[in-house]
Amino acid sequence: MDKQFRKTVIAGNWKMNMTPSAASAFIKTLAPMVADADCEVVLCVPAIDIPAAVDAAKGTNIHIGAENVHFEEKGAYTGEISADMLVDAGVEYVIVGHSERRQYFAETDETVNKRTKAALSRNLKTIVCVGETLTQREQGITEETVSLQTKIALGGVTEEQMKNIIIAYEPVWAIGTGKTATADQADEVCGIIRGVIAGLYGEAVAKATTVQYGGSMNAKNAAELLSKVNVDGGLIGGASLKTEDFTVIVKNG
Ligand code: 13P
């Protein structure tokens, strides 16, 4: 499965960090540092930071993403944000199904699927997160877990829409713990995900789909992780909050 067929995407996920003014200052500092990147550079930011981030990223190679999207077009959903709103605000990417959403906000495979379809209907580039918990890894059901999550998330997604899908493999036990999956573990599971896509859409689509790794990726381990044939980028939490560290990861992308 040759890497040249797909885009390497290095995406930050700021989570609930950075005020709008901090976001603006950060992006202005980062932009010249990553201007010559060979990969796609994305920052997924808190909803309130989006206008400041989009403004600061104008004229640069940094693309702005959101961290979630609601599945309905509009209506009585207090506190939620629709795909139309994101697009109108200048957002290009969106994360769906992050394990923190699944864990703390009752996200299920079904709602991840609904959010994925809502995002795709507005042509947002959609980063779908999948990953096993430590218990699931110890039970030997990593393959089954990520396969199931991937299949359900992609239910009803057309082959044409797959151009806007990125899958992020994020083992829950590696997120924010400093415990990274080994490069071989990341490669193996990203390969399993690619196999699921091949089963659903055929080899050509599988070959063209970006599959990222996320979970304690940092300036030190990025080169090894990103050298793996099935790892087409990273979804980065903590290290995306530091311009130097994020730049090192981007340079390895
Ligand atoms: P950390 O890089 O902080 O482990 O977070 C990973 C993540 O959850 C990205 O979405």
Side-chain angles (χ1 to χ4, degrees):
M1 285 282 185
D2 207 322
K3 274 186 123 156
Q4 81 212 29
F5 294 104
R6 44 194 182 260
K7 206 187 273 180
T8 299
V9 180
I10 301 293
N13 172 14
W14 281 357
K15 310 191 178 182
M16 198 172 72
N17 294 290
M18 299 259 200
T19 59
S21 51
S24 180
F26 182 98
I27 292 168
K28 282 179 185 153
T29 305
L30 180 71
M33 297 168 77
V34 299
D36 60 353
D38 293 328
C39 61
E40 182 95 334
V41 183
V42 182
L43 288 175
C44 297
V45 306
I48 191 101
D49 293 354
I50 287 170
V54 167
D55 193 49
K58 254 188 204 126
T60 76
N61 59 335
I62 299 171
H63 303 265
I64 300 302
E67 297 177 11
N68 192 21
V69 62
H70 193 61
F71 41 78
E72 295 295 344
E73 278 183 34
K74 61 180 173 179
Y77 300 97
T78 302
E80 292 297 321
I81 291 172
S82 72
D84 271 343
M85 293 170 187
L86 294 179
V87 170
D88 191 66
V91 164
E92 293 176 71
Y93 283 78
V94 65
I95 298 171
V96 299
H98 192 279
S99 63
E100 287 150 17
R101 301 288 324 167
R102 295 177 192 256
Q103 189 179 348
Y104 304 129
F105 302 99
E107 196 81 64
T108 65
D109 288 330
E110 283 70 29
T111 56
V112 173
N113 173 244
K114 285 166 85 171
R115 289 180 207 274
T116 300
K117 286 190 288 193
L120 291 173
S121 76
R122 294 299 181 270
N123 294 320
L124 285 163
K125 296 189 177 84
T126 307
I127 302 175
V128 179
C129 300
V130 299
E132 82 287 4
T133 62
L134 184 58
T135 309
Q136 288 166 330
R137 178 160 280 267
E138 286 170 354
Q139 288 169 334
I141 57 167
T142 296
E143 176 166 358
E144 289 85 345
T145 303
V146 300
S147 299
L148 198 75
Q149 290 172 336
T150 305
K151 265 192 187 169
I152 297 175
L154 296 179
V157 172
T158 66
E159 184 175 332
E160 180 62 23
Q161 287 176 320
M162 282 301 290
K163 292 191 180 117
N164 279 332
I165 284 281
I166 293 171
I167 308 285
Y169 167 53
E170 296 211 312
V172 178
W173 49 270
I175 295 176
T177 57
K179 244 193 241 169
T180 319
T182 65
D184 285 338
Q185 284 172 328
D187 192 44
E188 185 195 0
V189 184
C190 289
I192 288 168
I193 292 164
R194 200 177 306 287
V196 172
I197 296 169
L200 294 170
Y201 299 96
E203 292 293 333
V205 173
K207 227 181 193 180
T209 303
T210 297
V211 182
Q212 298 173 315
Y213 168 78
S216 298
M217 191 186 273
N218 58 39
K220 288 204 181 82
N221 60 28
E224 200 192 345
L225 286 160
L226 294 168
S227 74
K228 292 293 174 180
V229 69
N230 279 304
V231 180
D232 310 315
L235 187 56
I236 297 115
S240 75
L241 298 167
K242 298 176 198 136
T243 49
E244 277 89 9
D245 291 20
F246 191 62
T247 300
V248 172
I249 299 171
V250 166
K251 304 256 158 164
N252 282 296

